[in-house]
Amino acid sequence: MTYIDKTGIIASALSEVIMMRKLAPLFCLLAMTAQAVQLQVSDPEGNPIPQAMVTRTPLDTPTPDLSDDGYAPDGITNTAAVTVTRFTNTQGQVDIAREGKYSYRVRAQGFKDNYSNSAVGNLKLSPMNSQELIASYPSNVWLSQLAFGGDHALKEVFQLNCSFCHQQASPFMRNERTVEQWVSVIERMNTYGARLPEDDIQPVAELLQKEYRGLRENPEQVPAPRRWETHLAAIEMTEWPIGDGFSQMHDFLLHPNGFVYVGDNLFDRLYEIDPKTGEYTVYKVPHEEDARVGGILGNRFTLFPKMQNYMGVHSFAYSKKDGNIFITPSLQQALLEFDVTTKKFITHEMSAGLYPHTIRTDEQDRIWFTLALSSQVAMFDRESAEFTLYDLPARGIQEWLVLKALPALFLLDPEDRPLPSADRDSTGLPMPYGIDVAPDGGIWVARLYANDLAHIEPDTGEITMIDFPYSGPRRLRADANGNIWIVAFQNSLLVKYDPISKDFTDYELPVINELPYALNVDRDRGTVWVNGNQSDTIMSFDIATEGWKVFPMPRQRFFTRDIEISEQDGAVYTTNSHFPTWQSEGATPTLLRITPLAD
Amino acid sequence: MRLLAATALALYSLTGWAQGWPFYGGNSGGTHYSAAAQIDRNNVDQLEVAWIHRSGDSKLPDHLLQKTSGQSTPILLPPEAGASLVYCSALNKVMALDPGSGAQRWAHDPKINVQTERPLRCRGVSYYEEKRVTPGEHCRHRIFTITYDRRLIALDALDGKRCKDFGNKGEVGQFGNDMSTDYISNSSPPVAAAGLIIAGSAVIDFHYAKAPRGTVQAFDSLTGKLTWSFDPVAGLKNSGGANVWAPMSIDENLNLLYLPTSAASPDYYGVNRPGDNGYANSVVALDLQSGEVRWHFQHVRHDLWDYDSPAQPILFDWKKNGASIPALAQPTKQGFVFVLDRRTGESLWEITEQPVPPSQIPGEMAATTQPKPIAPPPLLDTFLTPDQAWGLTPWDRGQCAKKLKELDSLGLFTPLSEKLTLLLPGSLGGANWGGGAVLADSGILILNINTAPFTGQLIATASIPPPEAGGDHPTSGQRFQVPMKGTPYTVELGTLVSSLGIPCSAPPWGKLMAVDLVKGKILWEAALGSVHEMGPFPLPFHIEWGTPNLGGGIATAGGLFFIGATMDRQLRAFDVSNGETLWRYTLPVDAAATPMTYTYRGRQYLVINAGGHFMFNREQSDYLFAFALPEN
């Protein structure tokens, strides 16, 4: 039962005025505050609900031109239906209503969502019943209770292979399935790119069937997710829905020209978004006429109705010299350059190297990126237009042989290319993944499957390998002091590496069983921002105080892979990159910004 | 005292597992269960034919016979109503038989209009004791039947003569009886309770955007006067359908009528019917007396797959942790069994909102999520990848893998597009109108389902020549096109088979499953049917790979589950504890009907209508077989 009662808020404001009469200097400020607060959110007894999330969605937006197979044609500008989210303060109040036609959704932990076309007056939320409450918990708390029969190593293998696309314990996943149905799901996922070892498929299927059922029958075992906290009242979230349920907005770039560039990884499109107006222009990445869907890796998604990833728009960095954007096309032996002035793409062909992955630029206008499959790092010198490849060492002779054989294997048609079956010791390849340029110009690389770090001295090309004493280093970033921050995916940890002392320090994440995909460092403010993908959150870590803040995302099944930070105001951007996107709430990918509210 | 007696009677009709069979589904809650235990696991292999009755349909001209499908489940009348076994033929002839000998006592031929392109069928009749008629007077005990051409007829149970006090000379026209039977007809029996006789309809909902509306009507069981009607697509002016073609259930204690509603029209395109389409694809609980909606549970939002509610809602008691909740189980085509509190419509298992793929058809706003019970598990795997392609030889397996590779498929609820898309399950189900049986008070459901994959796509009607008339479901390996008039598209449907005509998925292609609705798990499953008659020529031995199946089964206290339904002319008995086949009998033609059982003069009979499979292009005929153990 919910209702809006304007009299309550008026009475509340009046009593405030009477109480504050003697505090004349503060009166004006309080009166202004009372005037600005438009929505009071309470429980059925009238107690205010702090940290209620209120999202404003416009109902009148121009009809977009989506005439190119459901997407905007190349060069066409559309306007996104921009949503704004704020949180109630400790008094349960929030200023969110605006003139015009909007829909408002109010969400609070433990209460049923409320939808309305108004956000003024009093709103009482109805509490969830126990079943609804537990069902509302995000994936990570459910996942935390999957013990895999005490086989911790098996759980790590499962999480490594099965949690880099979607939330594992979402309602979609934790449905009752027979063991045979789980086996079928896992085998299908292995054809899409997961590499769960064959020997583990049956045990994992049996454990998922057994342990999900156990949790369903004993829901009290599932811990409550972390409570939303008071800092949320001081921020605003803005979301730009772009693409559709088939898209995947992977990485993106906050550009000094004021635009945000987001890549649709599955449809070879670059979205140029103007955050000030909500307008976005789509640029299609060109490909060779004889290019195939899936590029040189081959199409793993033949059953999908739509897929146009000839190039695979993956990671972004811009030149500090002219602002041009460099993009790793993960499905080709090439580097893409986007001229931000002419809006044209330039393709720089490479003669070697496989799976261009994460990309960064340095102060010398050199472009550095990992080559995930061939275990290399590439450097593109813009002046000479030449690539230099740095071979990262194999972990043994067998791996060395495989790496050396890759170019020959890639001469074969993808359909005929042999794919060795995965086992726990050999998940395939070392997989250089994240990369960053430290303040001293040094290049740092994380190898996901090898669990090690590489340091490249750019002027000499000297490579130093460092064992990473944790599991799953996906992406890393350097802070202002040259410390390297790394996420340990399977360990649910944030890890700092001090290159001087050579010490690792780990920090537990503030939410349970999160599997952090990436991170970024706000060097100016000394903050590390960590991507969440199982808990519907992103997290900030203050380096000085070692304190965490958690930011709940406004949509359920919000899977983030990249973070960008505005140097000017510290605003933080991320994208909802769940795959498939239609499993995310709202079924549309979004670019999201968190902005501090003005005092 | 009268209240107590009425309650006792209601309880008996709902859950009293008697040894009679007074309702189409065994009782008014469609549990398909009998307390008869004379035939049991130990002696079922001794069953023999007790008698055979022929309705006479086999003497019809070939062109008419080929359109018939004997799908009737007889009912056994109580002694005061004559103790006859009453059933109907595909042409709606109602016949009363001696339950012990099969001798015909009376028959009534309503002489229906047979000018139709559609299959003729009649799944059963209903009995009602009209207490406003003095005992001993004509038509105190009534048989109600709805004809294919939309007439509701009341007959005296004792002599088969029309009830003159009912409507016009014993009949009233049903909603849509002014239209061709190619638009609206009938399949399931009406239901009777509380002085009302209530009927749904069979609407041809895939040919037309604005098909006839799926209006349910309730008539005074004495006079035939229309008491109330319910339009499940009220508010959808450019659509129709959402009719109730499967049997309804009644809980007189709760004064509730449960409607299994179908899709709004047309089945595979919904631009003309934006939104969830409210009462379509639902279980709708109506107040029995007023027809007002008390609750509804929609199991498919904005249907684009022809996932009608295909089966009678099964009423049973859900006993867990010492509590007993009046429950309802709804098997569905999409392969879920929803278990609801039948007082409120709330699911007894958590419903998860399953995110589903969007549509690529211009203007089509597919639902972003669909409800899925967190338990029991889906009854079939709804994915089929090229790696999982199946064939008898590497050649046809390769063919299937190639076909699958070229298909679009994102699993259950992938909307059809202009490209060929996998439909798994297809419109045949999953579950279909055979429904299932709940074993006494155990909460164990046994049901038959289909697993063979279909494919479909939408083709711009303007781009192709007008297609020849097609069917409802591509059950026999054919492909056909159906223009969806009032939309820009023609839907093309077909089974996914190799050049050998063999499904591209691994067998079984039809199966029987036991599902514990309380524990939320599948207990066992077994192949249902042999494919030995499905090839170009019959084989002399059985190959139990399961066949597509239509028609239901029944369970008994003898620990047995009886079912025909398959494309191999077999009537089988399974052990309910493990799915083992204990007995089978070869009928002259397929039995696409649900059997029934009763005990008469101390002898338990098992009866099934064997009329062939119209939908599967199998031979038709007009048999009613009764089996029993040898006397002595």
Side-chain angles (χ1 to χ4, degrees):
Chain A
M1 177 68 75
T2 56
Y3 60 88
I4 300 285
D5 174 9
K6 291 184 184 177
T7 56
I9 191 71
I10 292 168
S12 169
L14 276 174
S15 84
E16 276 190 40
V17 168
I18 292 164
M19 287 175 66
M20 298 295 163
R21 188 171 283 170
K22 293 179 180 175
L23 301 173
L26 292 176
F27 174 77
C28 291
L29 176 63
L30 286 168
M32 285 171 64
T33 306
Q35 193 176 24
V37 170
Q38 291 174 307
L39 181 66
Q40 169 75 53
V41 183
S42 309
D43 68 15
E45 285 73 44
N47 304 308
I49 300 176
Q51 294 92 52
M53 173 194 283
V54 187
T55 299
R56 183 180 75 222
T57 302
L59 298 177
D60 284 339
T61 50
T63 303
D65 178 351
L66 303 176
S67 55
D68 185 7
D69 200 15
Y71 303 95
D74 185 56
I76 291 293
T77 300
N78 286 319
T79 302
V82 183
T83 67
V84 174
T85 297
R86 291 185 176 183
F87 294 81
T88 55
N89 59 20
T90 51
Q91 287 81 46
Q93 299 164 340
V94 64
D95 169 22
I96 185 80
R98 293 293 178 270
E99 290 286 325
K101 289 186 178 176
Y102 292 97
S103 160
Y104 297 88
R105 188 203 64 200
V106 182
R107 169 170 290 172
Q109 289 175 301
F111 293 89
K112 294 178 183 175
D113 284 3
N114 176 270
Y115 291 86
S116 169
N117 289 336
S118 168
V120 293
N122 284 350
L123 172 68
K124 291 194 174 181
L125 295 183
S126 301
M128 292 174 170
N129 62 33
S130 58
Q131 188 182 67
E132 292 165 337
L133 179 66
I134 290 181
S136 74
Y137 290 176
S139 166
N140 66 310
V141 296
W142 288 86
L143 200 53
S144 72
Q145 298 307 302
L146 293 186
F148 280 72
D151 187 342
H152 190 67
L154 184 59
K155 183 171 180 178
E156 282 204 2
V157 171
F158 165 75
Q159 293 191 147
L160 173 65
N161 284 284
C162 303
S163 303
F164 63 88
C165 281
H166 33 250
Q167 293 193 351
Q168 262 310 318
S170 70
F172 180 81
M173 297 303 293
R174 64 176 191 263
N175 269 298
E176 176 79 4
R177 292 176 174 86
T178 63
V179 172
E180 292 75 20
Q181 287 167 351
W182 273 117
V183 167
S184 174
V185 168
I186 296 168
E187 288 178 342
R188 190 170 73 254
M189 293 300 119
N190 270 1
T191 70
Y192 290 165
R195 300 280 287 150
L196 192 72
E198 280 184 19
D199 290 346
D200 290 333
I201 292 176
Q202 184 72 21
V204 166
E206 290 172 5
L207 287 164
L208 290 174
Q209 193 275 337
K210 179 183 171 189
E211 296 193 1
Y212 275 135
R213 180 183 290 170
L215 290 179
R216 205 186 57 237
E217 291 173 348
N218 302 283
E220 69 284 355
Q221 292 177 1
V222 182
R226 185 178 173 114
R227 299 294 303 173
W228 297 348
E229 294 159 317
T230 54
H231 63 270
L232 297 172
I235 55 113
E236 176 179 275
M237 294 179 179
T238 309
E239 277 188 285
W240 294 267
I242 45 176
D244 69 2
F246 295 104
S247 305
Q248 188 195 30
M249 300 304 169
H250 205 281
D251 286 8
F252 65 98
L253 179 74
L254 187 55
H255 198 280
N257 66 9
F259 290 120
V260 184
Y261 293 88
V262 184
D264 186 342
N265 184 42
L266 301 180
F267 287 88
D268 283 0
R269 281 166 167 82
L270 183 64
Y271 285 72
E272 182 186 65
I273 302 167
D274 184 347
K276 291 190 180 75
T277 64
E279 290 183 338
Y280 65 89
T281 306
V282 173
Y283 301 102
K284 286 177 76 170
V285 180
H287 58 261
E288 298 291 332
E289 268 189 25
D290 60 351
R292 303 158 59 151
V293 172
I296 61 174
L297 295 187
N299 184 11
R300 290 170 290 168
F301 303 102
T302 55
L303 298 179
F304 277 57
K306 291 200 290 187
M307 191 65 72
Q308 298 173 12
N309 59 345
Y310 301 89
M311 303 295 281
V313 181
H314 200 103
S315 179
F316 296 78
Y318 68 87
S319 161
K320 295 172 182 66
K321 183 178 167 190
D322 59 14
N324 279 5
I325 297 171
F326 289 86
I327 306 167
T328 41
S330 54
L331 306 177
Q332 297 293 344
Q333 274 187 324
L335 174 66
L336 280 171
E337 180 177 353
F338 180 69
D339 187 319
V340 291
T341 308
T342 64
K343 315 293 186 187
K344 298 296 180 195
F345 288 93
I346 305 157
T347 303
H348 304 282
E349 301 286 350
M350 296 166 60
S351 58
L354 291 166
Y355 206 140
H357 198 276
T358 305
I359 190 166
R360 304 287 178 247
T361 54
D362 69 10
E363 298 297 328
Q364 315 300 316
D365 208 23
R366 291 176 295 202
I367 318 301
W368 296 86
F369 55 97
T370 49
L371 290 161
L373 211 52
S374 54
S375 194
Q376 294 168 307
V377 173
M379 186 272 286
F380 179 66
D381 187 320
R382 295 190 72 193
E383 283 192 12
S384 64
E386 287 186 354
F387 290 93
T388 304
L389 299 189
Y390 299 86
D391 290 340
L392 301 184
R395 290 171 289 173
I397 290 185
Q398 185 184 348
E399 193 170 275
W400 183 85
L401 285 170
V402 171
L403 289 170
K404 291 300 174 192
L406 281 176
L409 284 173
F410 271 78
L411 293 175
L412 300 173
D413 189 281
E415 301 276 331
D416 305 321
R417 202 174 289 151
L419 183 66
S421 57
D423 58 52
R424 283 202 207 178
D425 296 327
S426 168
T427 46
L429 296 163
M431 189 71 74
Y433 208 88
I435 188 170
D436 202 15
V437 182
D440 65 1
I443 306 301
W444 289 87
V445 173
R447 295 204 301 178
L448 175 64
Y449 294 145
N451 291 328
D452 57 20
L453 308 180
H455 175 263
I456 302 173
E457 178 54 48
D459 295 330
T460 65
E462 183 186 353
I463 299 171
T464 308
M465 300 304 297
I466 301 148
D467 280 341
F468 182 67
Y470 305 92
S471 297
R474 280 194 181 274
R475 282 179 160 166
L476 51 71
R477 294 279 192 170
D479 69 17
N481 297 322
N483 291 321
I484 308 302
W485 295 84
I486 313 120
V487 286
F489 186 76
Q490 295 97 292
N491 295 141
S492 306
L493 292 173
L494 171 66
V495 177
K496 182 179 76 174
Y497 176 67
D498 182 336
I500 297 169
S501 69
K502 304 190 186 313
D503 288 336
F504 286 93
T505 310
D506 60 67
Y507 303 91
E508 283 200 11
L509 299 181
V511 293
I512 194 169
N513 212 139
E514 180 53 275
L515 302 170
Y517 196 93
L519 78 175
N520 205 345
V521 177
D522 184 343
R523 291 182 181 174
D524 295 337
R525 296 165 187 80
T527 307
V528 182
W529 286 86
V530 180
N531 287 96
N533 56 46
Q534 302 294 313
S535 61
D536 292 332
T537 69
I538 62 172
M539 297 147 272
S540 72
F541 178 77
D542 184 87
I543 295 172
T545 65
E546 299 187 356
W548 287 98
K549 286 182 180 171
V550 179
F551 296 83
M553 298 289 97
R555 296 168 194 261
Q556 292 179 322
R557 298 174 296 283
F558 205 107
F559 194 111
T560 75
R561 296 171 198 268
D562 196 12
I563 282 184
E564 287 275 283
I565 300 152
S566 165
E567 289 181 12
Q568 290 116 334
D569 60 3
V572 174
Y573 291 74
T574 191
T575 52
N576 183 3
S577 187
H578 196 281
F579 181 71
T581 287
W582 70 77
Q583 288 186 5
S584 186
E585 185 180 4
T588 302
T590 58
L591 169 71
L592 177 140
R593 179 183 67 195
I594 301 176
T595 319
L597 280 172
D599 290 335
Chain B
M1 195 64 191
R2 283 184 65 185
L3 179 65
L4 190 64
T7 303
L9 181 65
L11 276 172
Y12 173 82
S13 70
L14 186 59
T15 59
W17 299 295
Q19 298 191 22
W21 200 272
F23 296 88
Y24 168 82
N27 58 16
S28 64
T31 56
H32 289 203
Y33 180 77
S34 168
Q38 188 178 79
I39 306 167
D40 61 24
R41 293 182 180 94
N42 298 320
N43 60 25
V44 65
D45 60 349
Q46 298 169 37
L47 278 177
E48 61 183 27
V49 175
W51 50 258
I52 299 170
H53 181 261
R54 309 288 298 267
S55 71
D57 282 357
S58 61
K59 295 174 184 164
L60 291 168
D62 279 352
H63 75 277
L64 260 185
L65 178 62
Q66 285 165 9
K67 282 197 287 188
T68 65
S69 187
Q71 299 180 350
S72 184
T73 299
I75 57 173
L76 181 71
L77 303 183
E80 61 273 24
S84 294
L85 193 67
V86 184
Y87 82 113
C88 52
S89 72
L91 269 65
N92 295 118
K93 185 168 74 171
V94 181
M95 295 152 285
L97 312 181
D98 181 313
S101 67
Q104 188 166 305
R105 290 173 172 168
W106 57 255
H108 173 84
D109 186 350
K111 300 194 183 308
I112 63 168
N113 176 4
V114 295
Q115 298 304 311
T116 180
E117 297 295 323
R118 313 287 313 157
L120 296 156
R121 64 204 162 193
C122 176
R123 292 190 182 141
V125 300
S126 296
Y127 162 74
Y128 188 63
E129 183 177 4
E130 180 49 74
K131 292 182 178 167
R132 287 171 286 182
V133 175
T134 307
E137 293 289 312
H138 194 247
C139 281
R140 162 109 177 169
H141 300 282
R142 298 179 176 215
I143 298 295
F144 288 101
T145 184
I146 304 180
T147 61
Y148 191 76
D149 52 7
R150 305 291 296 150
R151 290 176 285 149
L152 174 62
I153 297 172
L155 305 173
D156 181 87
L158 292 160
D159 63 14
K161 307 275 190 231
R162 291 194 176 208
C163 300
K164 291 178 181 167
D165 51 359
F166 185 81
N168 180 15
K169 297 178 182 172
E171 75 174 48
V172 292
Q174 296 286 281
F175 174 83
N177 76 335
D178 53 343
M179 301 181 209
S180 158
T181 51
D182 290 336
Y183 287 82
I184 182 169
S185 59
N186 190 70
S187 51
S188 291
V191 290
L196 295 171
I197 180 79
I198 304 157
S201 58
V203 168
I204 311 309
D205 53 6
F206 46 92
H207 276 285
Y208 311 99
K210 286 184 73 169
R213 306 184 83 75
T215 302
V216 175
Q217 292 178 305
F219 301 87
D220 186 305
S221 58
L222 177 67
T223 65
K225 184 183 173 192
L226 181 65
T227 304
W228 56 255
S229 62
F230 168 71
D231 176 4
V233 284
L236 286 177
K237 62 179 181 179
N238 294 319
S239 181
N243 50 302
V244 178
W245 58 261
M248 295 170 269
S249 286
I250 289 177
D251 185 337
E252 279 200 81
N253 287 331
L254 296 174
N255 193 38
L256 290 176
L257 167 73
Y258 302 100
L259 313 180
T261 63
S262 63
S265 65
D267 286 334
Y268 298 96
Y269 179 89
V271 176
N272 60 310
R273 46 179 173 86
D276 288 348
N277 305 160
Y279 297 128
N281 306 87
S282 296
V283 180
V284 181
L286 300 183
D287 181 283
L288 188 54
Q289 260 88 30
S290 69
E292 298 290 325
V293 176
R294 289 288 171 254
W295 57 259
H296 90 288
F297 178 90
Q298 190 175 35
H299 60 83
V300 181
R301 303 197 182 97
H302 193 81
D303 187 7
L304 298 170
W305 308 271
D306 192 12
Y307 287 158
D308 300 340
S309 308
Q312 183 173 13
I314 305 167
L315 311 189
F316 72 108
D317 290 334
W318 200 74
K319 294 178 179 172
K320 190 170 188 178
N321 302 331
S324 180
I325 296 173
L328 176 157
Q330 183 62 60
T332 62
K333 285 187 179 182
Q334 65 267 36
F336 303 149
V337 180
F338 290 92
V339 186
L340 311 178
D341 182 330
R342 68 174 183 264
R343 298 167 299 188
T344 63
E346 290 177 2
S347 176
L348 293 172
W349 290 105
E350 178 191 340
I351 297 296
T352 59
E353 287 299 325
Q354 181 183 7
V356 291
S359 170
Q360 300 174 72
I361 296 299
E364 185 71 86
M365 298 301 292
T368 56
T369 64
Q370 295 287 355
K372 180 181 182 184
I374 204 151
L379 302 178
L380 71 163
D381 192 345
T382 58
F383 273 95
L384 185 61
T385 64
D387 292 345
Q388 295 168 320
W390 192 88
L392 271 180
T393 67
W395 174 72
D396 63 325
R397 183 185 179 283
Q399 260 195 341
C400 282
K402 185 168 182 294
K403 286 186 178 189
L404 278 162
K405 213 165 189 175
E406 291 166 356
L407 283 174
D408 288 349
S409 171
L410 295 171
L412 187 63
F413 297 119
T414 304
L416 293 190
S417 70
E418 294 184 15
K419 290 184 282 185
L420 202 60
T421 302
L422 180 69
L423 285 166
L424 182 60
S427 55
L428 196 61
N432 210 306
W433 58 263
V438 169
L439 305 183
D441 59 356
S442 68
I444 293 171
L445 171 72
I446 300 180
L447 78 171
N448 51 307
I449 67 159
N450 290 284
T451 63
F454 288 15
T455 62
Q457 73 184 112
L458 301 183
I459 304 169
T461 301
S463 68
I464 54 170
E468 293 179 8
D472 306 16
H473 313 277
T475 48
S476 304
Q478 75 271 39
R479 299 197 67 77
F480 59 78
Q481 295 177 341
V482 181
M484 296 184 289
K485 291 178 183 169
T487 83
Y489 287 102
T490 288
V491 62
E492 180 177 302
L493 298 167
T495 42
L496 181 61
V497 293
S498 70
S499 298
L500 298 178
I502 297 172
C504 284
S505 59
W509 301 307
K511 59 183 182 176
L512 195 64
M513 307 184 73
V515 185
D516 189 325
L517 301 175
V518 180
K519 292 182 178 169
K521 61 183 183 181
I522 293 168
L523 299 177
W524 54 257
E525 55 183 79
L528 177 61
S530 165
V531 299
H532 69 283
E533 291 191 356
M534 288 176 66
F537 50 87
L539 297 170
F541 49 87
H542 282 214
I543 305 171
E544 300 282 344
W545 286 352
T547 73
N549 52 87
L550 279 172
I554 61 168
T556 71
L560 299 169
F561 184 85
F562 295 101
I563 186 167
T566 51
M567 295 172 67
D568 60 0
R569 298 185 292 132
Q570 300 299 300
L571 173 63
R572 289 178 168 84
F574 290 86
D575 186 331
V576 297
S577 65
N578 57 19
E580 183 186 346
T581 304
L582 298 178
W583 171 79
R584 67 178 185 225
Y585 180 87
T586 303
L587 297 160
V589 293
D590 294 334
T594 303
M596 52 85 73
T597 189
Y598 56 90
T599 302
Y600 181 71
R601 292 183 178 168
R603 193 179 187 200
Q604 184 185 352
Y605 294 83
L606 170 71
V607 174
I608 192 163
N609 186 190
H613 258 310
F614 169 87
M615 203 174 276
F616 294 153
N617 286 341
R618 300 270 294 172
E619 187 183 350
Q620 279 86 20
S621 195
D622 63 352
Y623 294 93
L624 188 73
F625 268 78
F627 298 86
L629 295 171
E631 291 185 282
N632 305 320

